[in-house]
Amino acid sequence: MQLRDHAIYLALTTLIITSCSLNRNQPEDNALREKHRPQFHFSPAKNWMNDPNGMVFYNGEYHLSYQYYPDGNVWGPMHWGHAVTKDLIRWEHLPIALYPDSLGYIFSGSAVVDWQNTTGFGSLDSPALVAIFTYHDPEQEKAGSIDYQTQGIAYSLDNGRTWIKYNKNPVLHNPGIKDFRDPKVFWYEPTGSWIMILAVLDHVQLFRSPDLKQWEKLSEFGVDQGSHGGVWECPDLFPLTVNGTEKWVMLVSLNNGAPNGGSGTQYFIGTFDGITFVNKNPAEKILWIDYGKDNYAGVTWSDVPKEVGRKLFIGWMSNWNYANVVPTTVWRSAMTLPRELKLIETPAGTRLISEPVPELKTLREEKSIREAQTLEGSLDLSSAITSNSQYDLFIAFDPDTNQGFTLELSNAVNEQLLITYNTETNSIQVDRTKAGRHDFSTDFGGVHVVPREIKDPVSTVRLIVDQSSIELFADDGLTVMTELMFPTELFTQLKLHTQENKSLSIEKIEITSLKRIW
Ligand code: FRU
């Protein structure tokens, strides 16, 4: 499409949308029940979604914008779709927050509350929400130039319900680098300035600003650090305290290069002095936030009140290797459950752990408990799975005697997803080769492995099952796997098997079915 046609198209769509007050992403009654539609994970009512964007907490609401193509079920000209939640579980779909304009599509970015009115967009009494995002100019890209990604800002004075683009965008020009995107911004108290972390090809760059409008480059990190299996994207940088010591955590998504193929998110732990981030692990040490195939581009919420003290994360539950072809109609893609990130000290060093937010408990329905027992062979837990096949499973093992196990999720048509803890390799694996549809991509079926970082046997496992995903948290959130699945019928059966000729000492099993949110 020529730039002029594009502008006319945009003007027309904006006009139609404004005049009808039509919310194209608002679900109709009884919608959101399609086959494979997650029933307690966020998904857009219709059409394509990728990365989470603009995550900010303000006035009792957690905002979640997302990469959105409102006119189709595959990636296309990017907008920011928008939703809010008060409890991180139940979502309200809102109208599209940001539309493409003459500077380009709206790629990933973040949002902050401008409490001190550094931008002048709001006031001290009524601060503006400010979104900082990447403009991706498709016309310049087609014309063969490489400086088509710049950073822009927009603000909202009405709780994020409408957004006004800054009239002097872009605020950060492109220095002649093809991949220059995904700004994540935070307020750095010691210097009283905004810091932006930006993904730049094979590294990140840090910038500083007094007002979110003028940006000065501070430093670079990463060319010779961590994994470089693909281009770096969607970074984040934040402090967390462990045993009374503050450490800085940097998240960097990369595509390709994930441990089980395709898209994944690595992290670094180090120091930040307002200018430079220093990795405190050896440069070649690679740490992954999640070893499953389906947790990408995740970042954390801004402005969660300090007294709440939680670092809240959400990721896009897919993988660029097949995201555009997964077998869903009407919509495509969901987010992970919101998770709290924490640091812990382990014998292997400081590590990031993930836990689903406790608000998930508000969806709890029937609970089935099996008390301590020693198992040899198989334990059929299917009677605890209610007809919706949505549940939260928790198992505590006697860690001294755990000799491995397999959890089998299955249905009446012999499809099965297998989760196996292998003590010999000290790893957990998810086998989705027979877990239903995988004909849409040669990369989807397969066995995906997470190596454990601690030597003690697994003592706890938590598995959260929705219509088309599992989220596995072992070792209290140190060993994590998020995986999609597309069984042709629901997995209404669940069995726990011991390894051949071995027994398993179980302290407790709890299976709680979960209500739907829509
Ligand atoms: C990551 C990403 C970002 C980019 C966006 C485009 O999945 O490639 O780097 O901003 O998606 O939709």
Side-chain angles (χ1 to χ4, degrees):
M1 206 187 295
Q2 294 301 307
L3 190 56
R4 194 180 54 89
D5 296 344
H6 197 235
I8 293 171
Y9 159 80
L10 287 173
L12 277 175
T13 30
T14 314
L15 190 68
I16 291 163
I17 281 159
T18 327
S19 59
C20 306
S21 307
L22 183 69
N23 177 2
R24 285 194 285 171
N25 195 23
Q26 195 59 47
E28 288 142 31
D29 285 350
N30 280 329
L32 309 174
R33 305 271 188 282
E34 305 89 344
K35 191 173 173 81
H36 303 309
R37 166 83 77 178
Q39 292 300 306
F40 57 91
H41 288 79
F42 179 78
S43 60
K46 287 184 198 148
N47 293 320
W48 168 269
M49 174 179 84
N50 56 291
D51 316 355
N53 296 149
M55 290 151 61
V56 64
F57 178 81
Y58 184 61
N59 258 349
E61 293 178 325
Y62 295 88
H63 291 259
L64 172 67
S65 292
Y66 49 90
Q67 289 288 276
Y68 187 49
Y69 180 45
D71 298 314
N73 209 9
V74 291
W75 191 90
M78 283 288 112
H79 301 52
W80 274 22
H82 190 199
V84 286
T85 177
K86 289 193 165 73
D87 65 359
L88 293 163
I89 298 294
R90 294 163 184 83
W91 297 92
E92 181 190 347
H93 287 100
L94 293 177
I96 289 170
L98 295 172
Y99 286 80
D101 60 40
S102 61
L103 294 176
Y105 303 157
I106 314 294
F107 270 20
S108 287
S110 50
V112 293
V113 185
D114 185 13
W115 293 108
Q116 304 193 36
N117 197 26
T118 61
T119 53
F121 292 151
S123 64
L124 291 177
D125 290 342
S126 185
L129 293 181
V130 184
I132 308 98
F133 55 86
T134 297
Y135 270 120
H136 175 102
D137 187 335
E139 305 301 332
Q140 275 192 50
E141 184 185 16
K142 260 181 249 147
S145 69
I146 57 164
D147 54 356
Y148 49 80
Q149 292 186 342
T150 57
Q151 318 315 318
I153 59 176
Y155 61 96
S156 171
L157 301 175
D158 58 359
N159 288 316
R161 279 3 185 222
T162 55
W163 292 83
I164 303 158
K165 299 216 185 84
Y166 178 47
N167 58 15
K168 296 201 181 75
N169 277 337
V171 292
L172 182 59
H173 289 266
N174 186 300
I177 303 174
K178 194 163 87 72
D179 297 290
F180 189 72
R181 60 174 177 267
D182 308 340
K184 179 78 164 79
V185 171
F186 61 94
W187 179 253
Y188 186 68
E189 196 66 55
T191 53
S193 47
W194 298 104
I195 304 287
M196 176 197 293
I197 179 166
L198 194 71
V200 184
L201 196 69
D202 58 354
H203 65 282
V204 296
Q205 296 188 357
L206 297 175
F207 296 82
R208 176 164 70 190
S209 170
D211 57 3
L212 297 169
K213 296 171 182 167
Q214 314 151 52
W215 293 93
E216 156 203 13
K217 187 174 163 188
L218 295 174
S219 60
E220 299 187 357
F221 169 82
V223 173
D224 54 355
Q225 308 273 323
S227 176
H228 284 275
V231 66
W232 282 24
E233 301 183 316
C234 300
D236 197 353
L237 181 63
F238 50 86
L240 281 176
T241 300
V242 55
N243 296 348
T245 307
E246 184 185 83
K247 300 194 175 183
W248 284 76
V249 178
M250 185 187 287
L251 308 182
V252 177
S253 284
L254 69 158
N255 182 53
N256 289 299
N260 284 295
S263 323
T265 303
Q266 63 177 329
Y267 68 93
F268 300 93
I269 299 175
T271 58
F272 175 62
D273 62 1
I275 296 179
T276 313
F277 174 82
V278 178
N279 181 14
K280 289 292 176 190
N281 282 306
E284 61 285 357
K285 176 79 194 164
I286 302 171
L287 299 165
W288 300 98
I289 198 167
D290 188 323
Y291 271 77
K293 286 216 49 156
D294 300 301
N295 179 0
Y296 191 60
V299 290
T300 61
W301 262 277
S302 179
D303 292 282
V304 175
K306 278 216 179 71
E307 55 282 9
V308 179
R310 296 198 290 175
K311 210 55 198 162
L312 297 167
F313 167 99
I314 204 167
W316 173 45
M317 200 153 56
S318 198
N319 189 310
W320 280 117
N321 279 4
Y322 44 70
N324 274 286
V325 293
V326 294
T328 63
T329 48
V330 183
W331 91 103
R332 214 175 239 130
S333 297
M335 297 298 178
T336 66
L337 278 177
R339 300 174 184 181
E340 183 175 355
L341 302 182
K342 289 180 187 163
L343 287 180
I344 56 158
E345 295 297 354
T346 75
T350 314
R351 294 292 181 268
L352 198 60
I353 59 167
S354 311
E355 293 166 356
V357 292
E359 286 88 340
L360 184 64
K361 290 195 186 116
T362 62
L363 296 180
R364 288 187 161 186
E365 272 185 318
E366 287 153 54
K367 189 178 202 168
S368 165
I369 297 180
R370 309 290 151 100
E371 295 303 342
Q373 57 184 288
T374 301
L375 180 66
E376 271 167 46
S378 299
L379 179 63
D380 192 340
L381 297 164
S382 308
S383 63
I385 309 301
T386 48
S387 57
N388 67 14
S389 295
Q390 294 158 207
Y391 57 92
D392 187 345
L393 165 73
F394 174 79
I395 311 180
F397 302 95
D398 170 5
D400 296 332
T401 60
N402 195 340
Q403 300 187 81
F405 59 82
T406 294
L407 272 167
E408 177 194 322
L409 283 63
S410 61
N411 59 19
V413 291
N414 286 329
E415 293 166 346
Q416 51 177 219
L417 181 105
L418 303 173
I419 300 165
T420 300
Y421 166 43
N422 182 328
T423 49
E424 273 155 40
T425 53
N426 196 22
S427 63
I428 298 182
Q429 68 180 42
V430 175
D431 178 348
R432 61 179 184 188
T433 50
K434 299 192 193 77
R437 288 198 61 183
H438 56 81
D439 51 317
F440 51 89
S441 161
T442 51
D443 190 51
F444 190 83
V447 181
H448 309 135
V449 183
V450 51
R452 292 178 66 242
E453 280 222 285
I454 46 176
K455 295 207 171 64
D456 295 342
V458 169
S459 60
T460 60
V461 161
R462 188 163 174 202
L463 180 73
I464 297 172
V465 182
D466 198 345
Q467 304 293 297
S468 51
S469 64
I470 57 131
E471 287 161 288
L472 176 79
F473 304 88
D475 305 319
D476 298 319
L478 179 63
T479 307
V480 181
M481 288 193 104
T482 304
E483 296 260 321
L484 291 176
M485 58 183 186
F486 298 101
T488 55
E489 289 178 15
L490 291 178
F491 284 143
T492 47
Q493 294 160 28
L494 175 67
K495 287 185 187 141
L496 176 62
H497 306 283
T498 58
Q499 300 306 69
E500 221 180 326
N501 302 322
K502 304 229 167 111
S503 66
L504 190 60
S505 179
I506 299 162
E507 287 178 356
K508 190 183 215 182
I509 304 181
E510 269 181 32
I511 304 173
T512 316
S513 54
L514 298 171
K515 284 184 277 203
R516 58 179 162 80
I517 57 169
W518 316 110

